[in-house]
Amino acid sequence: MPDEQQAKQRPRIVAVDQVAATRARLADELEARYGRDYDIVVTGAGNEALAFLSDPAGGEVALVVAERHDDGAQVLAATRALHPHAKRALLIGFNENRSAREDIVQFLARGDAEYYLAKPMASPDERFHRAVTEFLDDWWRLHGRPYDGVSVIGDDRSPRVHEICDLLHRHDFAYAFHSVDSDAGRAALAAAGITTTSEPVVIVDGHAPFIDPANVEIAAALGARTRAGEGTYDVVVIGGGPAGLAAAVYAGSEGLRVALVERTSMGGQAGTSSLIRNYLGFPRGVSGAELAARAFDQAVLFGTEMVYGGDVVGLSANGNVRIVDLADGTTLVTRAVVVASGVSYCTLEVPSLAALQGTGVYYGSALSEARALTGELAYVVGGGNSAGQAAMHLARFAKSVSIVVRSHTLAASMSDYLVKSIERTPNIEIRYATEVVDGGGQGRLEWIDLKDCTDGAVERVEAAALFVLIGAEPCTGWLPQTVARDAWGYIATGGHCDCHFDTEGGRVPLMFETTMSGVFAIGDVRQGSVKRVASAAGEGAVCVRLIHEYLDAHAQYT
C-alpha cells in the first residue's frame, strides 16, 4: 500500500555529463521542464553526484542519468545501493546506441542501468522528454502517486484492506492509503463524518463514503460499467486478461458489437507483473497494470462495452445465439463467445497459512504490498516468470528476497533475461529443492518452515511476507459439459476437439473453436496454449478472424 505520508522534500533528478556544452543543454532541458516539481542537479563530476546522493537530508531520488565513463558507471552502481527505488538510465550521445551497441548492451546486462537515454540534441527535444517522463511515471507508480481523490482508510493488517488496495493498484488508479490509527486517517474519517469504524472505508470524490464496499461498488463509483446493454451482441468476451482485451480490441476495430465481462480485475495474471521486459514494442519494459490500462482504453475507444464485476455462471445455446448467464441473474445474448477466463494461482497445501492470506500470505505478486516490506524479509514460492518478476520488484524494497523452488534450476521455467537479472541482484537468494511446509505469527505472518527436499531437514526462518506463484488452475468450472476439457480443466479447441464437435453438417472446428460451435477459447485457459502475454494477445487477434468466418457461415450449420 502507498505510504500515507509523502516525502516533505521534492524528489530529485540527478544527471552526470562530463561535456560542458551538452551538460548545459541537459541542465536547461531538465530545469525548464521539471524544475517546478523536482530538484534538479546536473554535474560533470561523479564525486559531486555521489556526495549529493549520499546526503541523508536530501530526500528521495526519482531518476539518475549518467554517462558510461568511470565516474558515471560508479554513480549508477552506487545509486542502486543508496536509492534502490530510483530509476537509473545510461546517458548516451547521438547515434551512440548504434556505434557502441555492444558496450551499452553489456552495461545494461550488468544491471548498472535499466535503459539508456539519449542526450537532448535541441530545444525542445521531445523524444528526450518522452523517455524522461516515462521513467518518472514508472517511479511514481512504484512510489505511490500523491492523490487524495480516492482514499482508503483502514487497518493495514486487514485482508480486505489489502484486497481493496491491490484492486486499485492493478487497475492503475492513483489513491492514498491512511492507517485508521494515524492522524491522517482520523482526519479523513472526521472530514467524511465518520466517528469510528472497524471496517475499511473508501472515499471517492463526489460520492458518499463507502464502508466496507463490495468491489463492484468501488468500480461503479470510479466510472466502470457494471451492467450489460440491451439487444444481441456479435461477440461476448469472458475475461479481461491480455487475450480477452486483444480480442475485444480487434473485434471492435472491425465493427463488431462487443461486450467484455470481467469478474475481478483487468489484465488477468499479467496485470500483477511489476515489469514485463520482453513484450514487443516496449524496450524499457511495461508494468502489467499499465499494459492492461492501455489495452482497456483502446478497447473502449473501439466501442467495447465493458461489464465489470460480472461473474459468469453459465453458457448455453439457443438456435443461432449463445446465452451467457451472470450470477446477478442477468444474461447476455450473443452470436459468438470468446472464453478468455484465464487461470488462478494454485494454493499451498499448508493449512496453517490459510488463516494468514492477505496478512502476509499472498497469492499473486500483490504489488501494492511491496513498499510495506521495506527492510523486511520476503519469500516468493514459484519458478516461473511471474515469480521472477515478483522477486525483482520486491527486491527494490525488502532487505532480502528468497525464491523457493522444488526444482534444481530455473532455466526450464523462467525466461533467460529474468534468470540473469535475478543472479545479479545481490539481495535475492534462490532456495533450490525446497518447499514451504508451515508458517505462523500473531495476527500476521512472522515465520515459515522450509523443508529441504533432498535430506528432509526443516529450517524455521523469519518472514514478513510469502508470495505464492506456483502454477495455476483454469477457470472453467462454470462451463457446460458440452464444452470439452482435458483432465486438468483446460478447454479443447480445434484439432483437440476430436469427434465431440457440437454442430450439424460435420464441419471441422476452427482453430480456437471449442466443442460448442460459435464458442472460442484463447489464452491460458486453452489446452496447449503458450503461457506468455504476447502469445495470448496474438490468439485474441487471430480469434477475431475466425469469428468472422464463423459468423459469415454459421447459419447453414445451425
Side-chain angles (χ1 to χ4, degrees), residues 71-111:
D71 277 1
Q74 185 181 5
V75 168
L76 290 170
T79 299
R80 188 173 187 175
L82 293 169
H83 298 277
H85 309 157
K87 307 301 292 184
R88 293 167 290 114
L90 179 65
L91 192 62
I92 65 172
F94 172 71
N95 212 33
E96 197 174 349
N97 61 324
R98 294 177 174 84
S99 62
R101 181 181 303 151
E102 292 185 6
D103 288 345
I104 292 172
V105 169
Q106 289 300 315
F107 193 96
L108 299 180
R110 292 196 302 269

Side-chain angles (χ1 to χ4, degrees), residues 40-58:
I40 309 296
V41 176
V42 180
T43 178
N47 59 345
E48 288 184 12
L50 287 172
F52 190 75
L53 292 169
S54 302
D55 181 4

Side-chain angles (χ1 to χ4, degrees), residues 147-205:
Y147 180 65
D148 286 317
V150 179
S151 298
V152 181
I153 303 100
D155 185 344
D156 59 7
R157 297 167 298 178
S158 161
R160 179 60 184 144
V161 168
H162 152 72
E163 182 182 358
I164 291 171
C165 290
D166 199 53
L167 183 72
L168 292 168
H169 193 101
R170 289 182 63 177
H171 282 94
D172 207 29
F173 272 105
Y175 67 98
F177 171 76
H178 305 297
S179 172
V180 70
D181 296 325
S182 68
D183 291 340
R186 284 187 287 268
L189 290 176
I194 300 173
T195 54
T196 180
T197 178
S198 60
E199 305 292 343
V201 175
V202 179
I203 299 173
V204 180
D205 280 354

Side-chain angles (χ1 to χ4, degrees), residues 216-446:
V216 70
E217 291 181 275
I218 301 172
L222 294 172
R225 182 175 187 161
T226 59
R227 292 276 181 170
E230 300 293 332
T232 301
Y233 291 94
D234 294 313
V235 185
V236 167
V237 180
I238 302 169
L245 286 167
V249 166
Y250 284 96
S253 71
E254 295 180 15
L256 298 178
R257 187 188 180 203
V258 186
L260 186 150
V261 183
E262 170 54 47
R263 181 171 63 90
T264 53
S265 57
M266 294 296 172
Q269 285 195 3
T272 69
S273 296
S274 59
L275 187 66
I276 303 169
R277 291 190 56 195
N278 60 349
Y279 192 76
L280 184 67
F282 291 88
R284 283 183 284 275
V286 60
S287 73
E290 181 183 3
L291 185 63
R294 290 186 180 210
F296 174 89
D297 290 343
Q298 196 172 13
V300 170
L301 289 172
F302 280 123
T304 297
E305 299 176 29
M306 297 291 183
V307 183
Y308 176 77
D311 194 358
V312 180
V313 296
L315 173 65
S316 59
N318 183 10
N320 292 347
V321 298
R322 305 293 173 259
I323 311 299
V324 178
D325 299 315
L326 303 183
D328 63 4
T330 60
T331 60
L332 292 87
V333 180
T334 179
R335 300 168 66 201
V337 173
V338 175
V339 180
S341 49
V343 294
S344 58
Y345 286 113
C346 297
T347 58
L348 284 175
E349 298 300 321
V350 182
S352 59
L353 295 178
L356 297 172
Q357 186 170 341
T359 55
V361 178
Y362 308 102
Y363 288 91
S365 61
L367 300 182
S368 63
E369 295 297 317
R371 286 188 60 81
L373 295 173
T374 300
E376 302 283 1
L377 306 179
Y379 286 78
V380 175
V381 183
N385 276 7
S386 295
Q389 290 161 350
M392 289 296 297
H393 180 66
L394 292 167
R396 307 186 71 163
F397 300 93
K399 179 180 179 181
S400 71
V401 178
S402 297
I403 300 176
V404 180
V405 290
R406 290 183 177 182
S407 64
H408 294 272
T409 179
L410 294 176
S413 55
M414 190 179 293
S415 293
D416 181 66
Y417 83 89
L418 265 177
V419 175
K420 289 179 178 176
S421 295
I422 287 168
E423 289 174 345
R424 62 175 179 256
T425 302
N427 63 332
I428 296 182
E429 173 194 19
I430 305 173
R431 303 282 298 256
Y432 291 110
T434 303
E435 60 180 337
V436 178
V437 294
D438 201 1
Q442 296 297 317
R444 66 173 299 112
L445 185 70
E446 296 174 353

